[in-house]
Amino acid sequence: MFIITVLSGVFQWFHMEGPLSLEELSEQYTTYILRALGSVGELADRYKNLVQRATKEKGSA
């Protein structure tokens, strides 16, 4: 229920000109959801590292 509630409310308050980019918001939400599912460290940290690497590669391309 937590995941559905969190994800369904984003469209009501998210604005592209807001303080977080869509990528930053996606990264934070994914980390929260992985932790809520019991992946309190390893998977959430692995995902965050993958996103950071992909972002760096995208920026240097």
Side-chain angles (χ1 to χ4, degrees):
M1 189 63 136
F2 163 76
I3 296 170
I4 294 170
T5 303
V6 167
L7 295 177
S8 65
V10 173
F11 80 94
Q12 294 177 349
W13 58 263
F14 180 74
H15 298 283
M16 293 298 282
E17 61 276 349
L20 292 177
S21 69
L22 186 56
E23 290 81 16
E24 292 169 322
L25 180 67
S26 299
E27 180 181 337
Q28 286 189 6
Y29 268 41
T30 301
T31 301
Y32 296 151
I33 290 168
L34 287 174
R35 289 185 178 182
L37 292 173
S39 303
V40 177
E42 187 179 338
L43 284 177
D45 291 339
R46 255 195 268 170
Y47 172 78
K48 187 173 183 177
N49 291 335
L50 286 172
V51 169
Q52 288 172 346
R53 277 193 300 214
T55 303
K56 287 179 186 176
E57 290 173 4
K58 183 179 175 183
S60 64

